[in-house]
Amino acid sequence: MFSSVRSHLTSTRITQNIRLSRYASTKRRTRQRSPQMKVAIEGCCHGELDQIYSEIQNMERKNNTKVDLLLVCGDFEAIRNYRDLQCMAVPDKYKKLQTFHKYYTGEKRAPVLTIIIGGNHEASNYFWELYHGGWVARNIYYLGHAGCVNVNGLRIAGASGIFKEYSFSTGNYETIPYTPSTLRSVYHIREYCVRRLSLLSGTDIFLSHDWPQHIVQHGNVQSLLKAKPFWRDEIAQGTLGSPPLMGLLHTLKPAWWFAAHMHVKFTATVEHPPEPILYVDNPDEITIEDDEVMPSAPPTRNNPDEIMLDDEETDVVAPPPAPPQQPPNRETKFVALDKCLPKRKFLEYIDIDAPQPMLPGEEPTLTFDLEWLAICRAFAPWFSTAKFQRAFPDEGNARKMVAKELEWVKENVGENKEVSSYQQFVRTAPGPGTEGKEKDKQPPMYPNAQTRAFCKMLGIEDKINPPESGASRPASS
């Protein structure tokens, strides 16, 4: 995606390695003193919130434990009323209200902090209201089309939607009322989101709906083919999964990557080679013939039988590794989960160290991620709501922009800022039963105060909501 930046990192790599070593040692000591957080992960939700929360509570009673956090990997179906169903790309027989509306209207409250991303079966109009992220209901937070937050210091990033090459390099031009075409392209992941995510220095957990391309080569392919034999050609041709997501996996090196979409449980482990140690050139060194540097060998692929696609060979697909600011993980554990149905493997539980300890019975704290806020502010001028997407800055300049904006964020937003200090859930659309004769029509666009608050916090232009009457727009960074 970005051109390689390894050359200009040469002079700083030694000091970075020393800092990382000290940081890693401190982090290990801190985590030994920290209690573990129990995290539940769910595959495709399809609006079955009641069933999912019930399954979690049954597990808690059976094992005398408490789940601190639930992560949902898309196809959430945040349907507030029957008109929202007209903004979801599914056949009519699947357009069902399900149970989310109970949590939206306040009839119920999510019993555990829930963080979600979008898939390809969503009320896309509602997720567009919260493009930058926000509460879709009390205690249920949407990461946005792309996003990163912290839960008691645990860094969680995610990307909504699925990959389609023809949409990847366009802007977000889709508007209500959606056409049959834009009803589908609206949930396609954009290069704008991938570029921003690639600038993160790392993450503990990453959520996606799509699988990263070639991820199956890092797990038990034969076992997968027994469950999904019709994937044989796609796997052989290397076309199963999302190319840019695999680029992000190699760039961010999260400890865990969770996905859904394919309606089957699958696990894999991606090993990351150690960072090479680069030495600073010594201008006073005397070079003799025996010391001449031999040309480096061409890079090798983990899978010698891998078939490269044309779109993998372009700069926009696989972002290069970012200079690490935290100890990179040596491996990424990938887990894809099924949809919520009886006797299906749609839930997974992990225990993971929480950098910030919680008292017994205390609810976790959701805070903004400073680096992500800086990235959002730096890249705000490149956010396009037209089909045309102008060229992005190269990686070197992008990282300089983010470093500059990080100082602004620290000074004007502050560190460890709770999300609820700026964004509070508020109902925008009415609940079910109010549609009348408009039941089968797409709804209007509802302004959302949470998006206004997010943009105001960062001093960026709000391109989602219509301008407030008499109000001037904030200047873009």
Side-chain angles (χ1 to χ4, degrees):
M1 189 183 79
F2 287 101
S3 59
S4 175
V5 295
R6 290 179 181 173
S7 59
H8 84 268
L9 295 175
T10 302
S11 62
T12 61
R13 186 56 58 98
I14 292 178
T15 55
Q16 283 180 343
N17 286 342
I18 294 172
R19 292 170 185 166
L20 289 175
S21 176
R22 292 172 179 170
Y23 178 84
S25 175
T26 303
K27 192 171 184 180
R28 282 195 296 271
R29 292 197 299 270
T30 302
R31 286 189 167 184
Q32 288 174 357
R33 299 193 301 267
S34 301
Q36 287 186 321
M37 179 181 293
K38 184 170 286 294
V39 181
I41 306 95
E42 199 277 332
C44 295
C45 174
H46 292 297
E48 298 284 1
L49 275 181
D50 282 354
Q51 183 62 32
I52 293 166
Y53 289 135
S54 177
E55 289 286 337
I56 291 174
Q57 291 168 341
N58 288 340
M59 187 282 296
E60 290 175 328
R61 286 190 292 267
K62 182 178 180 180
N63 296 280
N64 190 29
T65 188
K66 182 74 174 71
V67 169
D68 302 300
L69 175 67
L70 169 64
L71 308 175
V72 180
C73 301
D75 281 359
F76 185 76
E77 297 188 15
I79 307 298
R80 300 167 292 183
N81 54 53
Y82 286 97
R83 297 188 72 180
D84 277 352
L85 287 171
Q86 309 311 314
C87 297
M88 185 168 67
V90 295
D92 288 342
K93 66 179 181 179
Y94 294 114
K95 291 182 178 179
K96 299 178 181 179
L97 198 58
Q98 302 294 40
T99 60
F100 169 77
H101 67 92
K102 300 177 184 178
Y103 300 85
Y104 175 76
T105 60
E107 178 184 340
K108 291 187 174 184
R109 184 181 187 274
V112 58
L113 174 62
T114 303
I115 295 177
I116 68 173
I117 59 168
N120 57 315
H121 301 308
E122 306 291 359
S124 296
N125 58 319
Y126 191 18
F127 280 178
W128 177 250
E129 285 182 28
L130 295 169
Y131 178 89
H132 301 289
W135 302 100
V136 294
R138 294 174 65 86
N139 219 28
I140 304 176
Y141 192 82
Y142 170 53
L143 274 181
H145 282 220
C148 182
V149 294
N150 293 284
V151 180
N152 281 65
L154 192 68
R155 201 177 202 193
I156 302 169
S160 293
I162 63 172
F163 173 77
K164 293 292 182 182
E165 184 179 4
Y166 63 85
S167 297
F168 186 63
S169 298
T170 70
N172 294 95
Y173 61 92
E174 300 86 353
T175 58
I176 292 178
Y178 300 121
T179 66
S181 175
T182 59
L183 187 61
R184 286 157 179 78
S185 64
V186 67
Y187 56 71
H188 294 164
I189 190 171
R190 299 314 208 266
E191 182 181 355
Y192 176 73
C193 290
V194 174
R195 282 182 176 265
R196 291 186 299 152
L197 288 166
S198 73
L199 292 169
L200 289 169
S201 57
T203 183
D204 298 301
I205 295 174
F206 197 94
L207 306 178
S208 68
H209 191 61
D210 246 348
W211 295 16
Q213 189 182 37
H214 304 306
I215 193 66
V216 297
Q217 304 298 339
H218 299 270
N220 191 331
V221 179
Q222 295 306 315
S223 177
L224 179 63
L225 285 172
K226 287 181 181 179
K228 302 284 185 178
F230 44 86
W231 288 354
R232 188 175 300 276
D233 289 344
E234 286 183 89
I235 291 174
Q237 296 166 11
T239 57
L240 183 70
S242 167
L245 288 186
M246 182 51 87
L248 283 176
L249 189 151
H250 286 301
T251 298
L252 300 180
K253 300 179 177 63
W256 292 92
W257 186 300
F258 298 102
H261 191 41
M262 301 300 194
H263 297 171
V264 65
K265 183 174 182 180
F266 178 76
T267 62
T269 300
V270 180
E271 296 183 358
H272 303 293
E275 290 287 327
I277 299 176
L278 304 178
Y279 296 94
V280 180
D281 292 334
N282 180 2
D284 299 321
E285 180 181 352
I286 300 175
T287 303
I288 59 178
E289 291 182 0
D290 290 345
D291 292 336
E292 290 181 358
V293 179
M294 298 298 293
S296 59
T300 59
R301 298 178 188 166
N302 291 330
N303 177 12
D305 298 321
E306 178 180 329
I307 300 173
M308 296 296 290
L309 301 178
D310 289 341
D311 61 358
E312 283 187 270
E313 297 173 357
T314 63
D315 289 341
V316 302
V317 170
Q325 296 181 19
Q326 59 182 27
N329 295 299
R330 294 299 299 272
E331 65 178 24
T332 295
K333 295 184 183 298
F334 173 84
V335 181
L337 295 164
D338 208 333
K339 60 181 175 180
C340 180
L341 284 175
K343 300 181 179 180
R344 303 286 278 270
K345 297 177 181 179
F346 62 90
L347 276 171
E348 182 85 355
Y349 301 93
I350 64 170
D351 294 310
I352 189 167
D353 290 337
Q356 298 170 8
M358 291 190 302
L359 296 173
E362 185 180 25
E363 292 190 355
T365 302
L366 181 69
T367 57
F368 288 114
D369 185 89
L370 288 184
E371 190 178 34
W372 178 249
L373 295 184
I375 292 169
C376 289
R377 182 171 160 84
F379 265 63
W382 281 267
F383 178 36
S384 172
T385 54
K387 196 163 188 177
F388 172 75
Q389 174 65 63
R390 70 186 178 104
F392 296 104
D394 63 70
E395 185 183 13
N397 285 323
R399 292 196 181 279
K400 290 178 183 178
M401 290 160 48
V402 172
K404 175 185 175 183
E405 298 302 346
L406 183 59
E407 296 305 312
W408 186 96
V409 170
K410 289 178 180 178
E411 181 178 349
N412 292 276
V413 178
E415 300 187 34
N416 298 317
K417 186 66 65 175
E418 291 190 28
V419 169
S420 59
S421 64
Y422 280 93
Q423 293 180 306
Q424 298 87 35
F425 169 68
V426 58
R427 289 173 54 180
T428 51
T434 60
E435 300 88 351
K437 296 180 180 180
E438 306 293 312
K439 184 176 180 179
D440 296 326
K441 296 182 179 180
Q442 293 186 29
M445 169 66 187
Y446 294 103
N448 198 299
Q450 294 186 73
T451 297
R452 285 201 173 109
F454 183 90
C455 294
K456 184 177 181 181
M457 172 182 70
L458 293 183
I460 61 176
E461 181 181 352
D462 179 0
K463 297 182 179 180
I464 306 299
N465 290 299
E468 296 180 89
S469 58
S472 59
R473 296 189 179 190
S476 297
S477 171

